Each structure stands twice: as C-alpha cells, then as structure tokens.
Amino acid sequence: MARVPSDRAPGEPFGPGFALFADMLLAGLLTTVAALPVVTVPAAFAAASAALRESATGGAHVTAAGYARRLRARLSSGTLAAGLALPLLAGVLLVDLALVRAGLPGAGVMATALALLALGALTVGLRAVASPYGPSVRTALHRSAGDPRGTLLLACAVLLAVLLAWAIPLLVPLLPGPLAFAAAVVDLRSAGERA
C-alpha cells in the first residue's frame, strides 16, 4: 500500500495548513489585546498582517515575542496618529446614525450610505495597514482602485467578520486574525499578479 506524502515536519501532528490557521488565531488574540487602547488599532493590525504575511510565505510561525517586536516597530513609525482618527470617525458615524434613527426624511438612503461608507473605510484602512511599506491612506486608495477584485475580496471579509461578530459574539477576540490575514493575502495576491 502506497503512503500519501505529507508536508509535515518531523514530530508535527498537523500539516502546514493547520499551522497557518493556528498562527492566524494567535495573531487575532494578540491583535485584540494590543488594540485595547484603541489608538493602537492600526499598529496592531499592521503587526498582525506582517506576521501572517511572513507565516504564509513560508517564514517563521507567529509568536508573541515576534508579534511584540513588530508592534513596537509599527508604534514607533507613527501609526498612533492614524489611531487617533479611529475614535473621531466612530464618533461621526454614531452621530450620523443617531440622526438616521431620528426618523428624518431620507433616513433609509442615509443608512445605506453610512453602511457603505463604513465598509469602504474599513476596507481601505485594512489595505493601508497591511502594506509592507508602512500605512498610507493615499497608497491604499490607489491600490484599492487598481485592484478591484482584491478590494471586493477584502470587503467580503469585513462583511463576514461583522456577521460573525453579530451572530457569535464569543468570536470577536479572534476576528482580527482572519481580517489581518485576508488583508495580507490580498496584498500578496495583487503583488503576485503584478509580477
């Protein structure tokens, strides 16, 4: 009887796909903890995207020490200024949402526009922090417009994360991992298509 070849390392009970899944979950937990101060959200997602990009391309597995090193590098590169924009954007969206719920004329149209605006902002924000060259909104906008399929894939990942958070709130601490992984893989996919 022929044996099926395995990509497992000696002593590793699971294959590389499961190891990548475990890396994604660990990166999600580490990102959740690192994002608790709110202003560190962009740096936390950037560190997770960098760690998962390296793991997906055959590099080292995600570790807490490696994640902390990447997080320190991103925090020192000035991503805290971008993190200050998050509470401001959330405040504007909450005020707009309160006005929509007040029953003013055109509330349905505004609710749809706000949902699309939030989805677009999250998608472009994820592309910005997943960039290996550092977060830049202008670059993320150009990359989003230049790669509509990748942008659609990332928007679907954001929608799926929102639906999972709504349906199974216990998954919320793990969701940053799949989002960071989606952003990193979309970035790798678009770089591969350009090559």
Side-chain angles (χ1 to χ4, degrees), residues 37-120:
V38 178
V39 295
T40 59
V41 168
F45 270 95
S49 291
L52 289 169
R53 181 182 300 108
E54 186 176 318
S55 180
T57 56
H61 292 293
V62 175
T63 62
Y67 180 86
R69 181 178 38 82
R70 288 180 182 89
L71 181 63
R72 277 193 302 274
R74 293 296 181 147
L75 284 173
S76 64
S77 69
T79 56
L80 286 179
L84 292 174
L86 287 176
L88 179 64
L89 180 63
V92 167
L93 284 174
L94 287 175
V95 167
D96 285 345
L97 203 61
L99 290 173
V100 165
R101 287 186 179 161
L104 298 173
V109 173
M110 284 307 296
T112 304
L114 283 175
L116 290 174
L117 176 70
L119 178 64

Side-chain angles (χ1 to χ4, degrees), residues 1 25 30 32 45 50 56 58 61 77 83 94 107 118 130 135 139 142 152 166:
M1 177 178 270
L25 294 180
L30 293 171
T32 298
F45 270 95
H61 292 293
S77 69
L94 287 175
T139 304
H142 288 297
L152 182 62
W166 171 76

